[in-house]
Structures are given as C-alpha cells and as structure tokens.
Amino acid sequence: MQFLESIEWPDEIELLIDHLENESAQRALTREERALVDVYETVPILESEDCLHEFWQSDVDHQRVIKSFDLVGATAIVDPLNASRWCGTRSQERGDYSETEADYLATIEEELPPGLEELVDVVMEFVEDELQ
C-alpha cells in the first residue's frame, strides 16, 4: 500500500525531534518524548509499499511503538497495528501470504490513511499538552 503523499511534519516537530535525538545521547528521554520519537520514526514504515507487513518485519519494539501511538492519541493507527499483529509471525515476504491473508491485510490497511491524515494535528496537540 503506497500513500499518495508523505506526511509533511511542521518545522516545530522537525526541530523538536532533532533536539530530542541530540538529548537522547546525554540522557534518557521521558516516556512522552520517546513516544513522539517512536511515532515520528515509524511513519515512514507505515507509508511504505509494504506498510503493516514491513512494520511487523522491522526491528522496532512493536509493543512500545503501539503504546507510543496510543499515548499521543493516535488511536486510529493503534487499531490497525493491533489488528495486523499476526503479520509478525508470517514469512518475511509479503508475497508469501495466502490470498485470504493478503485480502485481510489490505482491508486492515484501508484504515490507515484517515489516521495518518490526522496524525500531524494529533501530534501537535500532544506536544502542546505534554511537552511544553
């Protein structure tokens, strides 16, 4: 699944992420800061052609990332992530899915675009409420 447009993060978020990445070398990030970084770093995976399959095949801490999306208030992304959990036990190749599995995953992935479209607003509100 390939989205037409990648998320364009506001400069405020880009600068905050750069700051947090620099800070993380000197101190442990708070749970809220880590959640923001997790969300920011995971979006390119969710925007990729293999989308949820790629997420479950990646080396990220899946449970922490799901909790991070939940913490920032992006429940519209949490549900498809949880519904696709079974992808983590499948072949490394998405093409190896049965027709039923491929259809089911495509149905789950249809839920992602609306959640990704609202993600910038959700993250901005989270930053204003929790990190400033």
Side-chain angles (χ1 to χ4, degrees):
M1 166 173 222
Q2 185 80 26
F3 296 100
L4 296 176
E5 292 184 33
S6 295
I7 288 181
E8 292 285 332
W9 294 105
D11 290 343
E12 176 183 348
I13 298 297
E14 296 278 353
L15 292 171
L16 181 56
I17 292 295
D18 287 344
H19 173 74
L20 292 175
E21 287 175 345
N22 290 332
E23 284 284 308
S24 69
Q26 297 151 357
R27 66 171 175 85
L29 298 179
T30 66
R31 180 63 190 115
E32 291 79 9
E33 292 168 337
R34 169 61 31 212
L36 178 63
V37 172
D38 286 344
V39 167
Y40 180 85
E41 290 177 346
T42 304
V43 165
I45 295 171
L46 297 178
E47 292 176 327
S48 73
E49 185 175 338
D50 282 337
C51 195
L52 292 172
H53 171 77
E54 184 173 336
F55 171 76
W56 288 105
Q57 297 301 317
S58 69
D59 291 332
V60 301
D61 182 337
H62 301 106
Q63 192 58 39
R64 187 184 78 200
V65 168
I66 291 170
K67 287 180 181 179
S68 293
F69 276 100
D70 192 38
L71 183 63
V72 301
T75 55
I77 295 175
V78 171
D79 292 340
L81 289 173
N82 281 323
S84 63
R85 208 176 270 278
W86 56 272
C87 293
T89 63
R90 296 303 188 269
S91 166
Q92 294 257 339
E93 298 298 321
R94 185 174 179 149
D96 292 342
Y97 286 6
S98 71
E99 185 177 339
T100 303
E101 290 171 331
D103 290 346
Y104 181 55
L105 183 56
T107 301
I108 295 169
E109 288 176 339
E110 289 174 4
E111 298 174 29
L112 278 176
L116 288 170
E117 286 175 16
E118 69 180 21
L119 188 58
V120 170
D121 293 336
V122 169
V123 166
M124 290 298 291
E125 186 174 320
F126 174 76
V127 167
E128 289 171 13
D129 292 346
E130 301 293 331
L131 296 179
Q132 293 190 5

